Amino acid sequence: MKKLFIFDFDGTIADTQGIITKTMMMTIDELHLEKRTVEECRAMIGLPLAEAFVTLLGVDDETADLCAATYRRIFIDNNVPGAVSLFPHVFETMQKLHQLGCTLTIATSRSHASVVQFLEEMQLLDVVSYILGADDVERAKPDPFPVLKTLKDLDFKAEDAMVVGDTSFDILMGYRAGVRTCGVTYGNGTEEQLREAHADEIIDDFALLAEIAMK
């Protein structure tokens, strides 16, 4: 039985794709930068904000920081009630994993405060015992640092942990940290990308994690 689950947030727990891509495109428009498609913006989900804009637009660090600040301001306006929802079976499965005695944690490129706010609204904060946001780590995914820090801080061994995410960034983070990984196909990455990143398990339904936990 896997005792520790390290979850990505965007595209794994919550369906934030629409609000993220919308906010990225609005940011680009406001700053009069070269337009990008929804698909191009979606491919950046999982990276820290400034890094995402560098990769997406090829801008310098100063412009990327401006993009990130603009994005955060616009995101607040876009984040109206109902803009973000849980994926099917996430709530009940996380409750079940918690009841089974699993430790549930988050490693996300979103800010710590933002993911806490979402988890509180979604009534999941009480089952998540540890959160690492982009502002909590020295090096972000796909670097293994967030996983290694989680293992160290919670005193778990790599063999007792599993990373669950929807993009290659999540899977590579876990793979490089030496823990098992599970890719979900309903998020922002493709099944092919998850396999190429060395996902040990690939699932189409979050509910299947309860079965994986019992192995």
Side-chain angles (χ1 to χ4, degrees):
M1 179 176 177
K2 298 294 180 296
K3 298 179 180 178
L4 171 66
F5 282 92
I6 303 172
F7 294 106
D8 167 56
F9 184 78
D10 296 289
T12 302
I13 288 176
D15 187 2
T16 55
Q17 181 186 123
I19 191 173
I20 289 175
T21 55
K22 175 184 178 180
T23 305
M24 291 183 79
M25 296 175 78
M26 290 176 67
T27 298
I28 292 168
D29 285 345
E30 180 171 318
L31 297 177
H32 305 292
L33 298 168
E34 188 175 348
K35 292 184 183 295
R36 292 292 185 268
T37 66
V38 171
E39 290 73 21
E40 289 171 323
C41 292
R42 184 178 62 192
M44 299 300 104
I45 297 176
L47 291 174
L49 269 179
E51 183 180 343
F53 282 109
V54 169
T55 304
L56 180 64
L57 301 169
V59 296
D60 58 30
D61 289 345
E62 183 178 355
T63 304
D65 288 340
L66 175 60
C67 288
T70 304
Y71 175 99
R72 292 187 183 99
R73 172 174 53 77
I74 296 174
F75 187 90
I76 292 173
D77 293 334
N78 287 342
N79 189 24
V80 296
V84 174
S85 60
L86 290 173
F87 283 108
H89 307 139
V90 168
F91 181 84
E92 55 266 42
T93 303
M94 290 187 72
Q95 296 289 339
K96 183 174 183 179
L97 292 172
H98 179 68
Q99 292 167 5
L100 288 171
C102 297
T103 298
L104 310 184
T105 73
I106 302 287
T108 176
S109 294
R110 179 174 295 283
S111 73
H112 187 108
S114 176
V115 76
V116 167
Q117 180 183 352
F118 275 126
L119 289 173
E120 189 169 24
E121 291 172 357
M122 295 166 173
Q123 300 182 326
L124 284 173
L125 193 57
D126 61 331
V127 300
V128 175
S129 56
Y130 182 86
I131 297 169
L132 285 181
D135 44 341
D136 297 318
V137 297
E138 297 173 14
R139 298 180 301 279
K141 62 179 80 170
D143 191 279
F145 182 84
V147 173
L148 297 175
K149 178 173 173 57
T150 300
L151 294 174
K152 180 180 178 181
D153 288 354
L154 298 184
D155 195 26
F156 274 94
K157 296 180 180 178
E159 56 264 33
D160 294 326
M162 171 173 275
V163 166
V164 183
D166 67 308
T167 71
S168 59
F169 306 126
D170 305 310
I171 303 305
L172 286 170
M173 174 181 68
Y175 174 75
R176 292 168 179 171
V179 308
R180 289 184 61 78
T181 58
C182 178
V184 300
T185 61
Y186 53 75
N188 299 297
T190 66
E191 183 172 346
E192 181 181 4
Q193 290 169 339
L194 296 170
R195 292 192 184 282
E196 288 178 353
H198 310 289
D200 295 297
E201 306 263 3
I202 294 180
I203 59 175
D204 301 319
D205 186 336
F206 195 92
L208 295 173
L209 286 174
E211 297 178 16
I212 291 173
M214 298 300 292
K215 289 183 180 179

